[in-house]
Amino acid sequence: VCGIVGVYIPQVLFFGYETLNGLFLNNSIPTEYLFLLLVAKLLTTAICAASGLVGGTFAPSLFLGGVLGAGFHNIISDSLRSISHVYPELSAYPIFEGISGLPAFAMVGAASVLAALFRAPLTASLLLFECTRNYDVILPLMASAGVASLTGDIVEKWLDEEQRENDPVSWGDLATRIYETDDGICITPPDEDAEK
């Protein structure tokens, strides 16, 4: 499946650094194609990870975040441009004069996904800063990485709690209920058996 996807969308193969570097250098990619890249890379990464193929999640997280950030930039800038054409009186407001460039959004997206996946906001911020040497984006980079890491923690805790509620017997229950005796394994503690 990954090979078939790679034939039609070669940017999703390997690390994807070429596409990511292009976004950091302000090479514009159409929004539809960015989201196609996002879905294709997510699909191929999941298939590779599930099948046990060689590869990790570090480079794909940078790629997915950069592409997602660039897609978000394209949507926001196109929306603001459309609104200013429909309502010309709003063009006096600073937000309609323009937003940060594509590289800033791609860097913030890459750092956010990396921080959310690995719960390492400082590492993600410093890594992206080292790659680009852009001082202008360090504050939004750190803020988004911190929020992404916190959001990842909250979602993971919520999913774990939901799984525990749906699981009739948790591992903690098994650890407190299974006791080994000379005769074999006893499900309840020996004291409780004696009381019955």
Side-chain angles (χ1 to χ4, degrees), residues 17-151:
Y17 290 147
E18 193 172 304
T19 303
L20 198 57
N21 285 336
L23 293 173
F24 289 164
L25 294 173
N26 208 14
N27 293 340
S28 181
I29 298 175
T31 307
E32 297 82 13
Y33 194 68
L34 284 170
F35 286 112
L36 177 67
L37 288 174
L38 181 74
V39 170
K41 185 69 169 182
L42 191 61
L43 176 73
T44 55
T45 302
I47 289 171
C48 288
S51 67
L53 289 174
V54 176
T57 54
F58 183 79
S61 69
L62 289 174
F63 181 88
L64 292 171
V67 167
L68 187 62
F72 183 72
H73 170 269
N74 288 352
I75 289 171
I76 295 298
S77 62
D78 290 345
S79 299
L80 290 175
R81 196 175 307 116
S82 297
I83 291 170
S84 67
H85 286 320
V86 174
Y87 302 103
E89 64 275 4
L90 293 177
S91 61
Y93 291 99
I95 193 166
F96 288 98
E97 292 176 11
I99 56 175
S100 294
L102 178 68
F105 277 82
M107 288 188 319
V108 168
S112 297
V113 172
L114 184 67
L117 186 63
F118 292 105
R119 306 297 190 281
L122 190 58
T123 301
S125 301
L126 291 176
L127 178 74
L128 268 294
F129 174 70
E130 283 289 322
C131 289
T132 60
R133 305 256 189 221
N134 187 352
Y135 290 105
D136 296 335
V137 78
I138 193 71
L139 186 60
L141 200 67
M142 291 180 76
S144 69
V147 169
S149 182
L150 180 64
T151 303

Side-chain angles (χ1 to χ4, degrees), residues 156-176:
E156 185 177 32
K157 182 179 178 189
W158 176 71
L159 289 173
D160 285 346
E161 287 175 0
E162 187 174 308
Q163 183 179 2
R164 266 187 257 132
E165 289 173 6
N166 294 335
D167 193 8
V169 179
S170 71
W171 287 105
D173 293 339
L174 287 175
T176 58

